[in-house]
Amino acid sequence: MRQKILIAFIVGVFSCFNESIFADPVLRTPKYRDVYENQDGTLNWYVIDTLRIGNPILIQNNYYHRFLVTDSIDVDNIKEKDLYKLPGLFLVEEDIFNGWDLFFMNLKEIEEIEEYIPDNGYAGILPNNVKYVNPKKSKGLIQFNYKIKPDLYIMLLMTGKAFNTITYQMVIDGPYDKPVAFPDEDAYYRVLVPVWNNKYRPNAKSNL
């Protein structure tokens, strides 16, 4: 009888262990889950797809918020609030994939984003990769180009509130000194994450 009980106990332990190994690995409870998921189950950002954009206009304001515009505009004579009226407006944020574990419950949610990054791609900051078209201009909207152009962009739909929470409220000493002045923080905006060739990657850390 003792031998049967011992065998049953060992089988039970092995079964539990086997289930835990192959179950979806759950991360620690994320501190800022409510930034990502609302109480009604809707999300504050969605990954849409990857895209390539040829010869866009890249703009930066006084607070280093960056925008990409596919429309033909006069950068020197357009106001920032009027950018949001353009059908071809995107926000650009290089470092938004840093710290996803603050929001996600399990590895599957992270992998659903990571799968958009090619094996030879790097989604993160490239230091000293900006060249200003008019470097003497110090106020207002400033046009710039990337010295090394991204291979592609990952496009997200993200609420203005979530974007400002991640890039302004949650980040100490930057990257922004002021939140983006969205016309409606509860609306969704198109956000582009540049993906560079991995050979330009500044270090060997993970993308996420």
Side-chain angles (χ1 to χ4, degrees):
M1 177 65 70
R2 290 181 181 178
Q3 187 176 9
K4 290 183 179 179
I5 293 175
L6 180 60
I7 292 173
F9 175 77
I10 293 174
V11 170
V13 170
F14 178 78
S15 177
C16 292
F17 177 76
N18 191 47
E19 289 180 7
S20 66
I21 286 295
F22 293 101
D24 186 24
V26 177
L27 303 176
R28 60 179 173 76
T29 303
K31 185 176 182 180
Y32 297 101
R33 181 67 179 185
D34 59 340
V35 177
Y36 173 59
E37 184 178 15
N38 301 310
Q39 291 185 351
D40 61 1
T42 58
L43 305 178
N44 288 315
W45 65 80
Y46 300 87
V47 182
I48 304 302
D49 206 346
T50 58
L51 68 161
R52 290 176 171 84
I53 303 175
N55 301 316
I57 296 176
L58 295 162
I59 307 169
Q60 177 178 293
N61 68 8
N62 294 338
Y63 302 103
Y64 297 95
H65 305 143
R66 289 176 177 169
F67 308 90
L68 182 151
V69 178
T70 59
D71 307 89
S72 179
I73 62 170
D74 183 353
V75 177
D76 293 326
N77 292 300
I78 191 170
K79 295 181 179 179
E80 184 175 334
K81 64 179 182 180
D82 293 327
L83 291 176
Y84 295 96
K85 301 175 184 178
L86 300 174
L89 174 72
F90 302 83
L91 284 90
V92 180
E93 177 52 52
E94 297 176 16
D95 199 33
I96 208 165
F97 279 0
N98 185 21
W100 275 146
D101 59 329
L102 295 172
F103 313 103
F104 293 153
M105 292 290 292
N106 53 56
L107 296 179
K108 182 179 178 181
E109 290 183 336
I110 293 179
E111 289 169 354
E112 287 176 353
I113 289 183
E114 193 173 33
E115 68 180 9
Y116 286 90
I117 304 174
D119 292 339
N120 65 337
Y122 163 66
I125 294 176
L126 283 190
N128 305 314
N129 192 38
V130 168
K131 181 179 180 181
Y132 295 103
V133 175
N134 185 358
K136 293 183 179 180
K137 186 178 180 182
S138 59
K139 292 184 179 181
L141 297 175
I142 303 173
Q143 188 174 351
F144 72 92
N145 293 312
Y146 286 122
K147 298 175 185 177
I148 299 171
K149 295 183 178 181
D151 288 351
L152 53 86
Y153 294 93
I154 298 173
M155 188 178 81
L156 297 81
L157 278 182
M158 178 176 285
T159 63
K161 185 176 182 180
F163 185 89
N164 277 336
T165 300
I166 295 172
T167 62
Y168 173 66
Q169 296 178 7
M170 290 178 56
V171 181
I172 300 175
D173 297 329
Y176 300 146
D177 297 325
K178 194 173 182 180
V180 176
F182 291 107
D184 180 0
E185 274 208 332
D186 293 324
Y188 286 87
Y189 298 87
R190 293 179 296 183
V191 178
L192 296 179
V193 181
V195 178
W196 325 94
N197 190 295
N198 201 49
K199 66 182 179 181
Y200 301 115
R201 185 190 188 103
N203 52 53
K205 292 182 180 180
S206 172
N207 285 336
L208 297 180

